[in-house]
Amino acid sequence: MDLRSVQRPLKKRYREEPGSSKVTLSARASRQETPVSCSVDIGRAVYAAEAHAGVGGSGQTACSGDLLLGALAACAQLTCQMVAENMGLDARRIEVGVEGDLDLAGTMGISEEVSVGFERIRVGFEVDAPGATEEELAALREKTERYCVVMQTLLDPPRIETRWG
């Protein structure tokens, strides 16, 4: 696949018609059989989700934290692959692993001093590009981190608005 030729007309259109680059993604969650499970519909696929076993789920289905970390891993992986391709790097293997630490005492309301949510998230990149120079690998890292939508969203979170109906 020649990624540059695929992206060239998109970039041209976004430059010529600036508003055309804006998109809205959506997801909708609905309750399933129990209060600890739901389905998540992103319009192209439906995923099952469940509360973490540490708060009452069975532990057999992805929890929302898994989905968040999975979204970060997928975005970092795809971004790194696409940047490497556009840089002309011969990357034999790119693999991204993501881990996150949280204290369930926060989400269970056990302690007000414990935050609800992840305390720390680690993103690890393993890149096998034997012909790449140190400068090229540094550029790959910088561009991957700059253009990874999920990473940038977590680093500089948007304002979240809630509506109740």
Side-chain angles (χ1 to χ4, degrees):
M1 171 185 194
D2 180 9
L3 185 58
R4 286 181 186 257
S5 67
V6 170
Q7 290 182 337
R8 190 173 295 116
L10 296 170
K11 288 182 176 185
K12 182 178 188 287
R13 186 176 73 208
Y14 298 159
R15 284 185 184 104
E16 292 173 357
E17 304 168 37
S20 67
S21 62
K22 294 188 178 193
V23 299
T24 299
L25 303 178
S26 64
R28 184 173 214 60
S30 302
R31 182 176 170 159
Q32 289 185 325
E33 311 80 51
T34 70
V36 295
S37 63
C38 72
S39 61
V40 181
D41 185 344
I42 62 165
R44 295 170 300 285
V46 177
Y47 298 94
E50 185 177 71
H52 187 276
V55 298
S58 73
Q60 296 179 349
T61 306
C63 73
S64 53
D66 295 325
L67 297 175
L68 176 72
L69 298 180
L72 177 55
C75 191
Q77 177 76 34
L78 292 170
T79 303
C80 192
Q81 289 172 182
M82 293 169 64
V83 169
E85 178 73 20
N86 279 332
M87 289 177 63
L89 294 181
D90 180 22
R92 294 180 184 167
R93 183 177 69 84
I94 298 173
E95 206 166 292
V96 175
V98 179
E99 296 176 323
D101 303 321
L102 60 122
D103 185 336
L104 298 176
T107 194
M108 293 289 284
I110 305 299
S111 171
E112 299 230 353
E113 283 119 40
V114 176
S115 66
V116 176
F118 285 97
E119 298 168 345
R120 186 171 177 209
I121 295 175
R122 294 172 298 286
V123 183
F125 291 82
E126 292 184 28
V127 178
D128 180 15
T133 66
E134 289 300 316
E135 293 80 20
E136 289 172 323
L137 292 173
L140 177 64
R141 176 184 181 166
E142 188 274 323
K143 290 176 182 178
T144 296
E145 292 180 9
R146 179 178 1 145
Y147 296 122
C148 178
V149 171
V150 176
M151 184 181 295
Q152 288 302 317
T153 301
L154 291 170
L155 290 170
D156 185 18
R159 183 179 72 243
I160 296 178
E161 302 168 11
T162 60
R163 295 184 312 266
W164 290 76

